Amino acid sequence: MTMVASTEETQTEYKKSSPFQKLFSWVVIPLLILLFLTLLAATVMGVNVYEKAREIGGNIPMVSSILGNKETVNIKDHNEAIVKLEAQIEEKNAKINRLERKVEEKESEIDLLNQDKKRLETTIEEKNQVDNDGKREIKDIVAVYETMMPKRAASIIIEMKDNEAVNILSKLGSEPLARIMEKMPPDKAATYTQMLAVNTSEER
């Protein structure tokens, strides 16, 4: 008797259940199970579910607008990234230009230094040439005095400045020097002898 009453109550409650509950039990739950199995199968088969959903949803006005907004956001982010990269490139280019200008300035300084170096080398060469010419002239003069008559040579030398006279006398050989000194006045000969001795000691 009790079991019969319980069964009747259950049937009564089932009859009283709302249409929404019936819809949820008969339609929604099976659809969710079917959707889960479909997603699982697609994942196993390597199908990109998100891209496929976008492709299908693009044909639906409301869904396509939602997806379109996301795509717009992605494009905006992409454009901002491009602007930042362009700014970085401009900054790098400006830095490169500054470095190139510094290199050019250094190259100009090096060119100026090389020009100064060449001028100095030319000046030194010219001075050496003059010195060599002077040495050749002294040798030629000394050779003339060595072949000249001692009296004539002595008379010419004593008319020179003392430094010039000693410069020539110091280049003469010992025999021509002795012959010329003999023909000089004693005071001049003594002066030149003293100066020659000083020059000889300085050279040592």
Side-chain angles (χ1 to χ4, degrees):
M1 188 71 178
T2 304
M3 292 180 61
V4 173
S6 176
T7 302
E8 289 178 354
E9 289 177 358
T10 302
Q11 290 177 353
T12 303
E13 290 178 359
Y14 181 76
K15 290 178 181 180
K16 290 181 179 179
S17 60
S18 65
F20 177 76
Q21 290 177 341
K22 293 180 181 180
L23 178 64
F24 184 81
S25 300
W26 294 350
V27 178
V28 175
I29 292 177
L31 283 176
L32 290 175
I33 294 172
L34 179 61
L35 179 61
F36 173 75
L37 293 175
T38 303
L39 291 174
L40 181 62
T43 303
V44 172
M45 294 173 64
V47 177
N48 192 329
V49 178
Y50 175 74
E51 292 295 332
K52 202 69 177 175
R54 284 187 60 186
E55 182 180 350
I56 296 172
N59 298 322
I60 304 173
M62 184 178 294
V63 177
S64 63
S65 63
I66 295 172
L67 295 176
N69 290 334
K70 185 172 183 180
E71 185 175 358
T72 303
V73 173
N74 290 334
I75 292 173
K76 183 179 179 182
D77 293 340
H78 181 68
N79 291 335
E80 289 178 354
I82 291 174
V83 171
K84 289 181 180 179
L85 289 174
E86 289 177 348
Q88 291 178 1
I89 291 171
E90 290 180 358
E91 184 179 355
K92 295 293 183 183
N93 288 334
K95 187 175 182 180
I96 291 171
N97 291 332
R98 288 195 297 270
L99 292 174
E100 288 178 348
R101 284 195 295 271
K102 288 183 179 179
V103 170
E104 290 176 356
E105 291 174 357
K106 293 296 181 183
E107 289 177 349
S108 299
E109 291 179 2
I110 292 172
D111 290 338
L112 292 174
L113 290 174
N114 287 331
Q115 292 175 8
D116 292 339
K117 180 183 176 183
K118 288 181 180 179
R119 282 196 294 269
L120 289 173
E121 289 175 348
T122 303
T123 303
I124 292 171
E125 289 177 359
E126 291 175 352
K127 185 178 183 301
N128 290 335
Q129 185 66 33
V130 171
D131 292 342
N132 291 332
D133 292 341
K135 289 178 181 178
R136 283 196 294 270
E137 290 177 0
I138 292 293
K139 288 181 179 179
D140 294 339
I141 293 171
V142 169
V144 171
Y145 279 103
E146 286 180 342
T147 58
M148 190 182 294
M149 294 295 292
K151 186 176 181 180
R152 175 64 178 163
S155 64
I156 295 173
I157 290 173
I158 62 176
E159 297 297 329
M160 297 179 181
K161 293 180 179 179
D162 290 345
N163 290 334
E164 294 175 354
V166 171
N167 188 27
I168 292 173
L169 292 172
S170 64
K171 303 294 189 302
L172 293 172
S174 57
E175 291 183 3
L177 176 62
R179 290 195 299 268
I180 293 172
M181 295 285 282
E182 287 177 357
K183 302 300 180 180
M184 290 183 181
D187 57 338
K188 279 289 186 181
T191 300
Y192 293 152
T193 301
Q194 185 178 2
M195 293 178 70
L196 287 170
V198 172
N199 287 343
T200 303
S201 63
E202 288 179 354
E203 290 177 359
R204 290 178 182 176

